[in-house]
Amino acid sequence: MMAYHGPSYGLSRECQMKSQAKFDLTRAREACDWVESVTGIPLDWPTSEGLADQLAFGHALKDGVSLCTLMNVLMPGAVPRISTMKAPFKQRENLELFLKGCETYGLKSQDLFQVNDLYENKNLYMVVDCLFALGGLAQKRHFDGPVIGVKVAMENKRNFSEDKLKESQKIIGLQYGSNKGASQAGMTAYGTGRQIIPGEAQKGVCSDSHKIIGLQSGSNKGASQAGMTPYGAPRQIIPDG
């Protein structure tokens, strides 16, 4: 019997609807056919209609027995002990053992599903995707039984000669100092004022103008601080006359 969690509302319902939309019944049927063909054990459907919808898919696989058996065929001894008890914690344990077996077999973590994705019918499309990924990996590992999914590509390892490796070390990228002939000639020092002169006006600027030091750079045009009182000293005010 499948657990009934009641209707979903708000964000939960939106996520549930998206998950249901991603579930492909045709792919699910291919996955179930593959499981039955490899294990030789027919799946237990909730009704005589068989795989009628995604809830039937979840019901057939949620106890983990067929999945663990599948894993043991692909990799003998992957699941040492498969529980046939109907207790929820035992069924969950089967699913955990199946997922661990998939990881040991070489399946990537992003291809796995979570126990609740199957046991609570939350993201059943991920279970379908996992089975297809597992079938593709089985082909790479030269499994001689029924196949499903796209065969995982073999590693394309390249071996470069020592001369090639030395040649690559001579290349200096722009981020390591190459500036394609550019220099800092004519640039002002950090913190100094920047003089912006329109293009046409620059032609009439003499070289002496570059010798002028702006007020912000230290020049005060002959002014001094003579007669100024120190900071904080009292100010003497003398009336006129």
Side-chain angles (χ1 to χ4, degrees):
M1 180 182 295
M2 287 179 286
Y4 178 71
H5 299 282
S8 299
Y9 300 95
L11 183 60
S12 295
R13 178 171 175 77
E14 183 179 347
C15 292
Q16 184 182 34
M17 295 297 290
K18 288 182 178 179
S19 175
Q20 291 175 355
K22 292 179 181 179
F23 184 84
D24 188 330
L25 192 61
T26 301
R27 293 183 82 240
R29 184 169 287 109
E30 290 181 40
C32 289
D33 289 344
W34 181 62
V35 172
E36 289 182 326
S37 298
V38 173
T39 62
I41 303 173
L43 294 174
D44 180 24
W45 304 109
T47 66
S48 58
E49 296 180 10
L51 183 56
D53 52 30
Q54 60 178 326
L55 292 180
F57 174 83
H59 173 86
L61 298 175
K62 68 178 293 184
D63 63 4
V65 174
S66 294
L67 293 179
C68 287
T69 305
L70 170 69
M71 197 68 250
N72 277 343
V73 174
L74 298 178
M75 185 172 64
V79 182
R81 188 173 181 179
I82 304 173
S83 177
T84 56
M85 294 177 61
K86 298 300 181 182
F89 77 95
K90 283 296 182 181
Q91 293 179 340
R92 286 175 175 272
E93 186 178 82
N94 283 343
L95 296 178
E96 289 175 357
L97 292 173
F98 166 73
L99 292 171
K100 287 180 181 178
C102 288
E103 202 165 8
T104 303
Y105 191 59
L107 210 59
K108 296 180 180 179
S109 57
Q110 61 263 31
D111 292 325
L112 303 177
F113 59 89
Q114 300 294 321
V115 171
N116 285 342
D117 291 333
L118 173 53
Y119 199 81
E120 297 184 3
N121 300 319
K122 287 187 174 181
N123 296 298
L124 294 174
Y125 73 93
M126 295 185 68
V127 182
V128 177
D129 291 345
C130 178
L131 290 173
F132 270 82
L134 183 61
L137 183 58
Q139 294 180 58
K140 176 185 176 181
R141 291 185 171 275
H142 307 292
F143 175 63
D144 58 0
V147 298
I148 190 178
V150 179
K151 182 179 180 180
V152 178
M154 300 297 291
E155 183 181 9
N156 185 17
K157 189 175 182 180
R158 297 185 177 184
N159 295 316
F160 293 99
S161 65
E162 188 175 349
D163 292 337
K164 275 289 184 184
L165 293 174
K166 287 181 179 179
E167 284 294 326
S168 65
Q169 293 174 0
K170 298 178 182 178
I171 301 174
I172 303 176
L174 294 178
Q175 68 271 30
Y176 291 106
S178 172
N179 53 13
K180 293 187 176 180
S183 70
Q184 293 183 335
M187 293 184 67
T188 57
Y190 178 76
T192 58
R194 182 182 179 190
Q195 189 176 13
I196 303 176
I197 304 175
E200 289 298 324
Q202 288 182 10
K203 298 177 181 179
V205 178
C206 65
S207 59
D208 291 338
S209 65
H210 295 293
K211 301 177 182 178
I212 299 174
I213 303 176
L215 294 179
Q216 68 272 30
S217 303
S219 172
N220 53 14
K221 293 188 176 181
S224 71
Q225 294 182 337
M228 295 184 67
T229 56
Y231 178 77
R235 183 181 178 188
Q236 188 177 13
I237 303 175
I238 304 176
D240 294 338

